[in-house]
Each structure stands twice: as C-alpha cells, then as structure tokens.
Amino acid sequence: SNSNATGGYLNQGGNELLVRALGRIQTLEDLQSVVVKSSGDRPVVLAQVARVAEAPQVKRGDAAVNGRPAVILVISKQPGADTRRLTDDVTRALEGLRPSLPADVRLNTELYQQKTFIDLSIRNIVEALRDGGILVVVVLFLFLLNFRTTFITLTAIPLSIVITGLVFKWLGMSINTMTLGGLAVAIGELVDDSIVDVENIFRRLRENAHAPQPTPALRVVYEASSEVRNSIVFSTILVVLVFVPLFALGGMEGKLFTPLGTAYIVSILASLVVSLTVTPVLAFWLLPRARFMAHQQDGLLLRVLKALAGWAIRLSVRHPVPILASVAVAVAASMAVVTGLGRDFLPPF
C-alpha cells in the first residue's frame, strides 16, 4: 500500500496503452481502505480495525522560548567555517524568508547564537587589554616620571600587537578568544624589553649631559642600547622557552592552549624586535634635546626601591649560606605541594 507501480501495456487495435497502478494515498478515505489482511474473498481494511483520523505528527522532544511552545531549528557549521560570518549569512537568509511566512509564524533569529558568546568573550578580553594598558601607563609614569620616556616605552604595545596581527594573517590564523587571551597575558611584558633599553639610554644621556666633554648623542644611544642588548635577547628567549611546552599538549588541551601560546610568543618576539629597532630611534629623536636631561633625577618611588634593592643585595652577599638554605627548603616544599595538586584539565562543575 501507499506506492505506485507499473503494469506493463495493453494492445488495443493499433494503440499501445500503458497500464499503471496508483496506490499512493491521497486522502483520509484512501488510508481507511488500505488492506491490512487478506482472508479468502473478504479482505480486512484499516477502517475495520482502527479509528483513522488526521492529527499532528508525534513529537520527538519538546522546545520552548520564553516559556511558550516553539520549534527550534538548529544549524551546525562545518569545521573551519567562520561562526560570526555564517551566523550573519543565516540571519539574512531567514529575514528574506519572513515575508513569505504565515502571519502567525514568528522568527527569533537571536536564540542560542554562538556568535553572541564569541562577541561576549572578545569583549571581555578587549576590556582586559584596555585595563592592562592603563595599568602599564600608570606604572611606567610612576617609575619614569616624564612623558617622553613613557611614550617611547608604550609604543612597544601597539607595534607588537600590529606585528602579531600581521603574523597571524600570514599564518592563516584568526583573532579569537584564545589568541586575544594570549595578548592579554603578554601585554604587561610587551614593554619589558623597551623599558630596559629606554632606561639605560636615558641614564647614559643624563650622565653624558653632565660630562666635561659630552659625546655625540647618537654614539651614546648606540652604546647604551648595545650594553643591554644581550640581556634583553636572553631574557626574551627564556620567557619564550617557558611557553614552548604548551605545543606538546594533545587533545582538547592542545587545541585550546596552542593558539594562546602562539599569540604570546609572537607578541613577545615582536616586542623584542621593536626594542632593538624602533625604541633606540625614538630615544635619539626625543631625549637628547629634552630640557629635563640637565637636572632630572630618579623619582621618589624609584629611589626608595633602589635603596631597598641595595640593602637586599648587601644582606645576601654577607649571609649566603642561610639564604641558599632557605631557598632550597622553599623549593623542596613547593615540589611536595605540587605532587598533591589536582591534574584535571577542567574542574568538575
């Protein structure tokens, strides 16, 4: 039942007539006449053993929106597709269908959009980047106490982020929550190399300004930058090496943290390039002819910290054995604590 079939053909004079059996159900009466059992010359039809009526299809599951019954259509993207762009395309397609829908059908295209969660995550990361940048500005100014050195140091942040974005473009990577998270983690360190370079150049230029026979500013900037170049490069390499093990993670952990580690490492290396190229040039342009070079001294905060650092160094040199023993005990205690820490990738919810 409920199927059409061919019946060959029938010759009638010079004509050949096609024979077909139309068994496809079209009406409720057709369904009632379906034979469910054939017993001799008295077939049993469906209407004799059951009540046949039109009714809604049996639901598989249920759905509601704002407490009211609804039908939810789920659209899944292919791997590698841009979720935000695809969401916009689907929304436009549904808006195009809206005029042809019945008047009592309402479309809610904002329900359960992954784009919403992505935008929220990106907004949170951008806020973290903003707050981190503000804190960096405040701390730099408290230590350097002048706008020129602060400006020179801060240029490392936008330039490093721009270089990171270009590298992502070349590598075919996207700006997502994890890559932005890597930038948020690194933002405080993007100025490390530049601040070391600027501080040493600033100190050397100030000493040169008080010298009986001052050296040309270009020579002073070059020598001051060369003095700290090895330290900057080695410290950056060490920081990068700390994040290299992230790339050995497999499974979900690797998929989540590899983009974060990539963003962090690329941005840190970009800040190194900026500190070795742009920072000395800006220092040569802005610092030698500044009026504060002749009389400015370290700020109060920096003088206090230098005094504390000097006291700590003298104390450690005079008492090396107890200090090294305390460090060894602290390392052993930390290793003992680490062995008892949990090892779950995600905590139980």
Side-chain angles (χ1 to χ4, degrees), residues 7 13 29 31-32 56 97 115 118 149 155 168 170 172 177 179 204 219 224 227 297 301 307 314 329 333:
E29 289 72 18
L31 188 58
Q32 292 174 341
L97 292 175
K115 174 187 174 183
I118 294 174
T149 52
T155 54
F168 281 6
W170 294 332
T177 303
T179 53
R204 289 299 187 187
R219 184 69 183 179
E227 286 178 357
Q297 61 178 351
L301 177 61
R314 289 190 296 271
V329 172

Side-chain angles (χ1 to χ4, degrees), residues 239-271:
V239 172
V240 169
L241 288 177
V242 171
F243 273 74
V244 169
L246 284 179
F247 297 98
L249 294 175
M252 184 61 68
E253 299 93 327
K255 291 185 179 296
L256 282 176
F257 286 108
T258 297
L260 185 146
T262 302
Y264 181 91
I265 291 175
V266 171
S267 60
I268 291 297
L269 293 178
S271 69

